[in-house]
Amino acid sequence: MWAISQETNWDELKCIISNGDGVDCRDALIQIKDAVIGSNKQKGALLSHELVPVILNTCIDQDQSPDRKMDALVILGSLAKGSEEQVEMLVKQYNVVPYLLKEIVSKNNSKKCVEICLSTLRSIFEHPCAPKENFLADTDVLKQFLRLASANSSLKTQICITSILVSACQTNEDQLRLLQAGTLHILSRMICYDNEDIQIPALRCLSCMCYSNRSVADNICVISFQGRSLPDILNSLMSRLFCPEIQLSAARCLTYVYRSGTLPSTDNRISQKALPTLARLCAESFDHSIRASASETLAYLIEIDSDLQRTAAITNHLLKSLSDLLQSQDPSVKQAALCCFASLGANDEAIRKRLMDTFGLINAILNGLKDDNSQVKLAAIRCLHSLSRSVQQLRTTFQDYTIWEPLMDIFATETSLEYLVAVTSTICNLLLEFSPSKEPIINAGIIDRLCQYTMHEDPSLRLNSIWALMNMSFQSELYVKTDIINTLGTKRILELLNDPDTRIVMKSLGLLRNLLSKTHHVEVIMGTHSSQVLEALNKLLESKHSAEVKEQVFCIIGNIAAEAENGDYIIMDKKIMGHLAGFWFYLDRKLQAGALFAIYNLVHRKDLWSMEKYSRLSELNIIKHIYALNKKTIREEPQCQDYISRTLKQIVIQCKHFYPEILQ
């Protein structure tokens, strides 16, 4: 027998195994197996002496005895439980995964051999280096995996299969492959076992399959096992009779089914079972890992529904539980708590007030903004974004703590797209007209960066940047608007009006409307770019864009008509006037109101009007239609919008000097 700790013995063992000499070979394999189990140091020595090819040959060699092959497979399994670097060598340098798959699908291997190979593959797939991409695209491998997951297989085999599928399910295509292969029926059976070792990976696999996938979620809701629907089975697994991990996993599955759009938020299994279960699992009586996962899942459950947010805020002392989690030194726990706070405060002002009164939240957010952990920092930004939707908090807490400063530090130094999108979302709110943070943020030089990001390839960052500029320009001082115009440029503003993202078009129109709200700025833009501006507006009116977009276009036309020194920009543009003349035929009240706003501003400018210009209104039947609409509004729609009524009355009053007959 050899002392494995002696370095020279590795070469001797390698030689013995290579020769394949009966008893000595088996003894060498056993000694290696005993040495590497539980010791990454010995695993490293084995790898450095390049014994893996020899061990693989032992597995492949048909002349080797089953015992020696089994020992060699166990050694590979032990190596797969090594460090990240050691596993990466197995995968990339020695390419063991295809070999393992070949052994798994082979019909000549014993169940024990297949089980060891599956266990090894399971260990490898727990690491990032595992070849997960398109792993499930091999239909032969997938079919064999699901065949091995039958009720006749050992529990260990079924556990390994489901665990591998969890790791391999990476994309929407993977989810659909599992669905089409009949995986849901197998998982339904597994989660009904009275054995949590198989139930937990089966539930995890189910949640991976239905995350953001409506097709899978729809199928989950129509599948049944032993007379019970799968959602009802999941509902029962949230009982306190089951271990916390099973309760959590079942709640996560139902959360994903709901967020996929299959179940409504009002379904009792969501609002009365999944939500309270997740809130309860956040309590301090559970392990931190359970509490963190429950908080994160709850954040996703309530993220978009105000009623669920209000229910969660008063459930099971949730705010106190989350506040306790903020004190944790574990980054994943702090991140989960901050995410849940962000979802709670997404919509309801009363909840935001309660959150700000929660012990330690504002300090946790400020500390999170400076945290070295990227996910904690991102969660803190998103939490801040939710709270920044509160007018009261913008005027009080945000000002007291000068929260804009750490945000600007992140904005100036971070290049990650995820960070930039989150930060600009929050900055949009801090730049609102009533926010005390607006002026110091502008003085910090944010305009240059925002204008730069309007050209970014990511639509979310483009949207947030133009949105922030729009908020900043609303009722701003002259120097702010001038800086935006000079930095962004009229050409870029017009380019944004043609953006494929309608949301960006809307915010770009909002920015242009704010910039064209004073005579000086109207002339700065229209004096040199009037033809391009009017052409861009015409294209939008002729496009298939929504009524909301076209209403904004009419408002901009109204601003130009009201503020321009040159009164001919609108009245002399045949296309624009044609669109204004068509207001009578607009069925959408927003379009009608927008066109009337523009017409009102055209007529209201007494200083620039003449009989000739009023004649253009008459030639296009605008005067006639205004009169008819005014009578119709009074007779048929007494509760019509006050704005339209006042606009019509003002137009009638202004026109009487030229057309007294309209008052008949």
Side-chain angles (χ1 to χ4, degrees), residues 547-617:
E548 287 79 6
V549 170
K550 295 180 180 181
E551 179 194 17
Q552 285 296 308
V553 174
F554 280 132
C555 290
I556 292 171
I557 292 170
N559 281 7
I560 296 171
E563 301 291 346
E565 291 179 359
N566 181 351
D568 290 343
Y569 288 133
I570 303 302
I571 198 73
M572 301 307 294
D573 190 295
K574 292 183 180 180
K575 290 183 179 179
I576 292 287
M577 291 304 296
H579 287 298
L580 292 179
F583 79 90
W584 172 256
F585 303 102
Y586 295 144
L587 298 178
D588 191 286
R589 181 52 59 86
K590 291 179 180 179
L591 289 180
Q592 206 169 68
L596 287 168
F597 169 76
I599 294 169
Y600 169 80
N601 284 345
L602 279 173
V603 177
H604 196 64
R605 292 286 296 274
K606 284 185 179 181
D607 55 320
L608 299 176
W609 283 86
S610 63
M611 183 67 179
E612 178 185 356
K613 293 179 179 178
Y614 272 101
S615 295
R616 288 184 64 81
L617 295 178

Side-chain angles (χ1 to χ4, degrees), residues 285-296:
S285 57
F286 296 97
D287 292 340
H288 267 76
S289 60
I290 292 291
R291 299 177 71 189
S293 295
S295 300
E296 198 165 31

